[in-house]
Amino acid sequence: MRRSWRMTRYLLDGGASAIGAAGVLGALAGALASSLVGFGVVLLPPALRALGALADRERRRAGRLLGRPVPVEPRPPVGSRAALLRAAAGDPASYRSAAWLAVHAVGGPPLAAGVLLLWLLALGGLVAPLIWWAVPTGAPLTFVVPITSWGRALLVPPLLAGAALALLRWAVPAVAAAHARAALASFAPSARSRLVSRVAELSATRAGALDAHAAELRRIERDLHDGTQARLVAIAIQLGVAQGRRAVDPALADRLLGRARALVEETLTELRGVVRGIYPPILADRGLPGAVHALAADCPVPLTVRVAPLDRLPAALESAAYFVVAEALANIARHSGASGGDLRVEHWAGRLVVRVTDDGVGGARESAGTGLAGIRRRVAALDGRVELSSPTGGPTVLRAELPCGS
C-alpha cells in the first residue's frame, strides 16, 4: 500500500493546489478585466508571476511522481513591467499553463475528495463491526446503509472496505499517474522553445570548445617556448663552444658535447610530452582500450578495469575519452585518498560511456580546480554530458557520455 499512499498524497496535494490554481486564475482574470479601464495593468505582473510559480510547482510534482526529468520551459529574462507583459503575451507556455491550471482547478478537488472518501470507506469498513459490537443494543448505526443486525455488520462494511481497498490499490495509482502524465504533456516545451534552448546550449558548448582549444594552444606555445626552445638554444651554445675549444681543450669540448647530447635526450622527452598532450600516440598505436589499460596501469590506486571491445572510433572521440580517463585517474591519485576504484568504458545505444568510481573522501567540486571543468568542456564540445556524484565521505562517481555512430 506504500505506492497507493504515495499516489494518495499526490492527489490530496493536488486538491489543495487546485484551490490555489482557481484563486490565481481568478486573480488573473480580474486583472485582465480591470486592465481595460487602466489600473489592472498594475495587477497583471504579480498575477503572471503567481501563474508561473504554480505551474512550476505542478511540473515538479508530476515529475517527482513519475520519476522523470522535469521539462523546463525556457523563459527570457525580463526587466520592466511592460517587458514582462510582452514576454508573457508572446510566450506559448503562459497559455498552456493557464489552460492546464483551469482543468486542474476543476478536476483536482473532486479527485482529492474521492480518494479521501475511499480511505474513509476502507478504514470505516474495518472498524464498523467493532462499533456495532460496542454500541448499546438497539442503537442505530449507519455505514452507507443502515446496520440493523450482525449479518449486515459482518457483511456490508467489510465488502465496502474491500472494494475501497481494491480501488486504492489499482484505480487510484492509475488515475494519479494519468493526471501526472497529462500535466507533463501540458507543460512540455514547444518545438520552438526546444529549438531555442538547443541553439543556446550549442552556442555555449561551442564557446566552451573554442576556449578550451585556445587554452590548449597557449599551453603548447608556452611549453615549446619556455621548455623546448630554451633547451635547443642551450644545445646550440654548447655545440658552438665545443667546436671553438676542440683544438685548444679537447677534454672540455668532449664534456660540452656530452652535455649537449644529454640536453638533446631531455628535449626529445619533452617534445614527446607536448605531442602526447595534442594527441596521445598510444591511441594511434593501441586504440582506446589499450590506452585506457595503460593509464590504469600507471595509476597508483588499485583499479578494477572493464573495457568493452571497441572498434576504432573517430580521433576526436577517442581523444576526449582518453582525456576524461586521464583527468579522472589523476584526481583519484592526487585528491581522493582512495584505496581502490573502478573504471568502465562501454559502448551501447550509440554512446560511449566512461564511468570512474573511487572509494575516497568525496567532496569533489568543479570549482576546486581539479580538471573537472575541463572534462565537462571537452565532453560538451562533442554534444556529450557529464554527471558527477561526490558526497562528503564518498564514494565519487564520474560518468561521461559521448555520442558516437559506430
Side-chain angles (χ1 to χ4, degrees):
M1 296 297 290
R2 181 179 300 177
R3 181 168 177 262
S4 297
W5 178 241
R6 187 165 64 91
M7 299 298 185
T8 296
R9 288 203 312 270
Y10 174 80
L11 293 177
L12 291 178
D13 187 41
S17 67
I19 297 174
V24 169
L25 291 174
L28 182 61
L32 286 171
S34 58
S35 64
L36 299 176
V37 294
F39 68 89
V41 176
V42 180
L43 304 176
L44 275 175
L48 289 171
R49 293 190 185 97
L51 178 71
L54 190 58
D56 289 341
R57 181 180 184 275
E58 287 301 301
R59 184 187 294 115
R60 288 192 297 269
R61 278 199 329 119
R64 281 196 302 268
L65 185 77
L66 299 176
R68 297 180 184 175
V70 178
V72 177
E73 184 81 16
R75 293 191 179 116
V78 293
S80 64
R81 181 188 305 156
L84 173 63
L85 296 178
R86 284 196 301 270
D91 186 6
S94 301
Y95 301 101
R96 291 201 307 273
S97 298
W100 169 253
L101 291 178
V103 172
H104 180 53
V106 174
L111 289 176
V115 73
L116 185 60
L117 178 61
L118 288 176
W119 278 102
L120 292 176
L121 284 174
L123 297 176
L126 296 177
V127 301
L130 296 177
I131 297 176
W132 169 258
W133 171 77
V135 297
T137 304
L141 176 65
T142 299
F143 184 78
V144 181
V145 297
I147 304 298
T148 58
S149 65
W150 271 109
R152 283 196 173 190
L154 294 176
L155 180 63
V156 175
L159 284 177
L160 292 175
L165 288 173
L167 290 174
L168 288 170
R169 176 65 179 83
W170 288 287
V172 168
V175 170
H179 184 280
R181 283 194 293 269
L184 289 185
S186 299
F187 292 130
S190 62
R192 179 179 178 277
S193 297
R194 288 195 296 269
L195 179 60
V196 170
S197 178
R198 183 62 175 156
V199 168
E201 179 185 354
L202 291 176
S203 298
T205 56
R206 180 178 180 273
L210 291 176
D211 291 342
H213 179 67
E216 189 70 11
L217 288 178
R218 288 193 298 270
R219 183 190 65 79
I220 295 171
E221 181 183 7
R222 183 177 62 252
D223 291 344
L224 292 175
H225 182 272
D226 297 341
T228 307
Q229 179 177 285
R231 292 182 187 277
L232 290 174
V233 171
I235 291 169
I237 292 174
Q238 292 192 16
L239 289 176
V241 173
Q243 184 178 12
R245 301 293 295 177
R246 179 185 301 172
V248 179
D249 191 350
L252 176 61
D254 289 341
R255 289 196 299 272
L256 290 174
L257 289 174
R259 293 177 186 172
R261 180 178 179 179
L263 280 174
V264 167
E265 293 176 353
E266 294 176 3
T267 303
L268 288 175
T269 301
E270 191 168 291
L271 278 174
R272 291 191 193 100
V274 174
V275 172
R276 191 176 295 112
I278 300 172
Y279 185 80
I282 193 171
L283 283 176
D285 297 338
R286 299 170 56 183
L288 184 60
V292 169
H293 281 288
L295 287 172
D298 291 337
C299 183
V301 178
L303 296 171
T304 301
V305 183
R306 280 169 282 187
V307 182
L310 297 171
D311 296 330
R312 292 312 300 260
L313 301 172
L317 185 64
E318 288 190 338
S319 180
Y322 180 89
F323 177 82
V324 170
V325 174
E327 284 291 331
L329 297 187
N331 286 341
I332 290 177
R334 295 173 188 168
H335 309 293
S336 70
S339 59
D342 183 81
L343 170 60
R344 299 183 187 182
V345 180
E346 301 170 329
H347 180 224
W348 54 274
R351 303 184 77 82
L352 182 67
V353 180
V354 178
R355 188 174 185 270
V356 185
T357 306
D358 68 76
D359 59 2
V361 297
R365 299 290 181 270
E366 291 189 26
S367 58
T370 55
L372 294 173
I375 290 177
R376 189 174 295 277
R377 283 197 301 268
R378 288 242 185 175
V379 173
L382 297 176
D383 203 18
R385 63 180 182 180
V386 175
E387 298 174 359
L388 175 66
S389 173
S390 184
T392 302
T396 296
V397 180
L398 176 70
R399 188 175 188 273
E401 290 188 8
L402 292 158
C404 56
S406 60

